[in-house]
Amino acid sequence: GIQVEQSPPDLILQEGANSTLRCNFSDSVNNLQWFHQNPWGQLINLFYIPSGTKQNGRLSATTVATERYSLLYISSSQTTDSGVYFCAVERANTGRRALTFGSGTRLQVQP
Amino acid sequence: DAGVTQSPTHLIKTRGQQVTLRCSPISGHKSVSWYQQVLGQGPQFIFQYYEKEERGRGNFPDRFSARQFPNYSSELNVNALLLGDSALYLCASSLRRGREETQYFGPGTRLLVL
């Protein structure tokens, strides 16, 4: 199956700092989504981004499909940004809408 | 619109028992998927249903089964529970718009097997 690797596994920031989270994947994808999992376990959609660049407030994401990686940028981080960030991909040409998740980046933003 | 809903929120069972988890998709979404997330890991795909038909199955034993109803809600059943089945079970629904199909997750059911 497709492999999804996220880095770094853990990240500690001071409030106001910027960060970049990376997701590498091993095969062509139809779908790539970034999620934020809050302390209660809810997975919150951040971006649907199988290719290109999107921005939403302090967050932005870029996927370079030909090079099989995606980046999530968090600017001016806030304590509410804390949690686990997951990248999930759907392998192309399988006919199946199954997301394969990376192991996540655990972000802690300190006041 | 309401998001994906799941019930119950928490559940405690003992080894060998059976459990049924329920999911209602976002209105208009015809596809439902189930994922298992054990502590410290990313979610793992269990099943996907579309229009009441199974469209995909992950690497889970036959103790796991699911179905989708005419109103697109879904149930996940797990028989002969093992301690290792303790996890957060997540349901996702999706709607295809052109080439885009975003999955939206519910709050999950936390299952503890003693």
Side-chain angles (χ1 to χ4, degrees):
Chain A
I2 192 168
Q3 305 300 313
V4 182
E5 296 181 356
Q6 290 187 243
S7 60
D10 296 280
L11 190 56
I12 300 175
L13 300 174
Q14 292 296 313
E15 205 167 20
N18 302 328
S19 62
T20 301
L21 281 59
R22 186 177 180 101
C23 171
N24 292 330
F25 45 96
S26 62
D27 206 340
S28 299
V29 298
N30 288 330
N31 179 357
L32 188 148
Q33 291 184 241
W34 282 97
F35 296 92
H36 176 215
Q37 189 165 43
N38 66 22
W40 298 271
Q42 176 76 57
L43 277 169
I44 300 163
N45 285 296
L46 298 176
F47 294 103
Y48 170 91
I49 189 164
S51 63
T53 298
K54 290 186 177 180
Q55 182 163 2
N56 184 6
R58 295 182 296 105
L59 302 181
S60 63
T62 295
T63 298
V64 183
T66 53
E67 297 186 21
R68 298 181 183 168
Y69 74 89
S70 183
L71 302 174
L72 177 69
Y73 304 97
I74 305 174
S75 64
S76 303
S77 57
Q78 301 175 358
T79 55
T80 52
D81 295 331
S82 297
V84 183
Y85 289 80
F86 287 105
C87 167
V89 303
E90 175 192 310
R91 188 177 181 183
N93 304 319
T94 63
R96 192 176 79 165
R97 300 280 177 251
L99 289 175
T100 299
F101 283 75
S103 53
T105 292
R106 184 173 299 276
L107 174 64
Q108 183 179 348
V109 181
Q110 297 178 338
Chain B
D1 284 340
V4 178
T5 59
Q6 293 186 242
S7 63
T9 56
H10 295 80
L11 204 51
I12 300 175
K13 293 286 189 178
T14 57
R15 282 178 297 175
Q17 285 189 312
Q18 175 264 341
V19 67
T20 298
L21 311 181
R22 295 175 176 83
C23 171
S24 291
I26 293 171
S27 177
H29 287 196
K30 298 181 179 180
S31 176
V32 169
S33 300
W34 288 95
Y35 291 78
Q36 180 197 65
Q37 186 178 20
V38 299
L39 198 62
Q41 298 181 17
Q44 280 197 292
F45 172 74
I46 310 175
F47 285 110
Q48 189 227 358
Y49 277 78
Y50 178 76
E51 292 274 16
K52 296 175 289 181
E53 291 189 6
E54 182 182 307
R55 289 294 182 89
R57 184 186 183 116
N59 188 24
F60 280 81
D62 291 343
R63 300 185 295 108
F64 288 76
S65 63
R67 55 181 176 168
Q68 187 178 31
F69 299 98
N71 66 353
Y72 304 113
S73 67
S74 178
E75 287 182 351
L76 175 70
N77 296 286
V78 187
N79 294 323
L81 285 166
L82 304 174
L83 296 180
D85 295 330
S86 296
L88 177 66
Y89 288 85
L90 295 162
C91 173
S93 75
S94 62
L95 175 69
R96 169 158 266 199
R97 287 197 174 102
R99 295 179 61 185
E100 182 171 327
E101 185 165 351
T102 303
Q103 296 211 22
Y104 297 90
F105 282 80
T109 294
R110 290 192 184 276
L111 172 64
L112 177 62
V113 182
L114 300 176

